[in-house]
Amino acid sequence: MQVITSKDNPNVKRIVKLTRRDQAKKEGLIYLEGTRLCEEALSSGLTPVEVIVSESRTGWAATFTPGIEPLVLSENVFTKISQTVNPQGVAIVIKEPESADDFPSKGDGKDVYVVLENTQDPGNLGTIIRMADAFGLTAVIVSPTTCDPYNDKVIRATMGSIWHIPVVRKTMDECFAFFNGNGIETVATHLKGNDLGSGDLKLPCAYFIGNEGDGLTDATTGKCGKLIRIPMKGRAESLNAAVAASVIGYELSKLI
């Protein structure tokens, strides 16, 4: 077993580049580090194109990625290239899933889509993906101005759900063309909308969540066929984007 002990090794330099999301994205790859993050991806059926472990974690590689020769680094080198505070000595590189050209559909007339327009916070996006997976939604649709769904912080926030539910990047025009053309109700949150839970929602349905600070654009709100609001009894003026998406998602999941 060869153990790489220098950070200047060409293979180490190549991996260091992939730890930067912008570089990995150019190559159509995703760098994952940490035992749980890697095992979640592997248990979801993803096959790594590369496995990187510290010298003390070669047993992990033998167990979870048999048949793939790992790149073995000394503890010191792995720590130096690690993107985490407490390195666990485990990392994999996988191919970035291809975004679907078409909108996914379950084919039973009970599709629910959550559409994100210009959502910027990785934690919010990750939480929404996790929620959509938990409640059995059809897909998460993200606008071109929404943050990268394969950002490290997003992936961690999804707790593995990123691999279980389609995440598709589409423009708002593409969304409305598809939803309106297929009889899918479009819903936006608005202070003048009907209370969520009043029984007027139906499937199939797509609901829109906007930017954390500015909400949905007026153009998107104006194109939605129905407006709803989440009734609040306290003094808070609004809800966090991920919380609002989850409340609506749970309500719609009752109809699935």
Side-chain angles (χ1 to χ4, degrees):
M1 179 181 67
Q2 181 180 4
V3 180
I4 297 174
T5 58
S6 172
K7 188 180 177 182
D8 294 325
N9 181 282
N11 282 323
V12 174
K13 289 183 176 180
R14 177 174 52 79
I15 296 301
V16 168
K17 288 183 179 180
L18 294 180
T19 64
R20 298 194 292 268
R21 178 59 192 144
D22 58 345
Q23 182 61 40
K25 188 175 183 178
K26 288 179 182 178
E27 299 186 31
L29 301 171
I30 300 172
Y31 175 85
L32 301 175
E33 184 183 328
T35 304
R36 181 168 186 172
L37 211 60
C38 293
E39 289 180 5
E40 284 170 347
L42 294 171
S43 67
S44 298
L46 297 176
T47 301
V49 296
E50 189 145 23
V51 178
I52 307 99
V53 294
S54 65
E55 189 174 3
S56 64
R57 299 305 303 275
T58 54
W60 181 92
T63 299
F64 288 93
T65 57
I68 299 177
E69 187 70 27
L71 187 67
V72 183
L73 311 182
S74 68
E75 306 298 326
N76 185 50
V77 171
F78 195 101
T79 298
K80 284 182 177 178
I81 71 168
S82 175
Q83 301 298 294
T84 60
V85 177
N86 298 304
Q88 297 176 327
V90 170
I92 61 174
V93 177
I94 61 172
K95 290 183 178 179
E96 183 174 320
E98 293 185 8
S99 183
D101 292 330
D102 300 322
F103 286 78
S105 175
K106 295 181 179 179
D108 59 2
K110 294 184 177 182
D111 287 310
V112 178
Y113 304 89
V114 54
V115 185
L116 308 180
E117 182 186 38
N118 196 29
T119 303
Q120 294 299 300
D121 183 83
N124 277 337
L125 176 54
T127 300
I128 291 170
I129 292 171
R130 184 179 178 186
M131 171 278 301
D133 178 29
F135 293 155
L137 276 54
T138 303
V140 178
I141 313 298
V142 297
S143 72
T145 52
T146 290
C147 67
D148 180 6
Y150 298 108
N151 172 302
D152 177 69
K153 292 181 180 178
V154 176
I155 293 175
R156 290 184 185 280
T158 72
M159 298 293 285
S161 288
I162 187 73
W163 317 123
H164 304 158
I165 185 168
V167 180
V168 183
R169 195 174 289 278
K170 296 288 184 181
T171 67
M172 293 298 99
D173 286 344
E174 289 173 323
C175 287
F176 284 108
F178 175 77
F179 297 145
N180 293 338
N182 289 275
I184 297 170
E185 184 167 66
T186 52
V187 177
T189 54
H190 196 279
L191 291 175
K192 295 182 179 179
N194 294 329
D195 281 356
L196 178 67
S198 58
D200 61 341
L201 291 180
K202 62 180 182 180
L203 301 186
C205 177
Y207 69 100
F208 290 72
I209 299 293
N211 176 267
E212 289 83 356
D214 301 323
L216 290 170
T217 61
D218 291 339
T220 294
T221 300
K223 292 178 182 178
C224 286
K226 184 168 290 183
L227 302 179
I228 61 170
R229 71 183 186 94
I230 299 173
M232 296 183 290
K233 297 180 180 179
R235 297 173 62 182
E237 293 183 359
S238 62
L239 293 171
N240 166 280
V243 173
S246 298
V247 171
I248 299 169
Y250 173 70
E251 196 68 27
L252 286 168
S253 74
K254 297 177 183 178
L255 305 177
I256 297 175

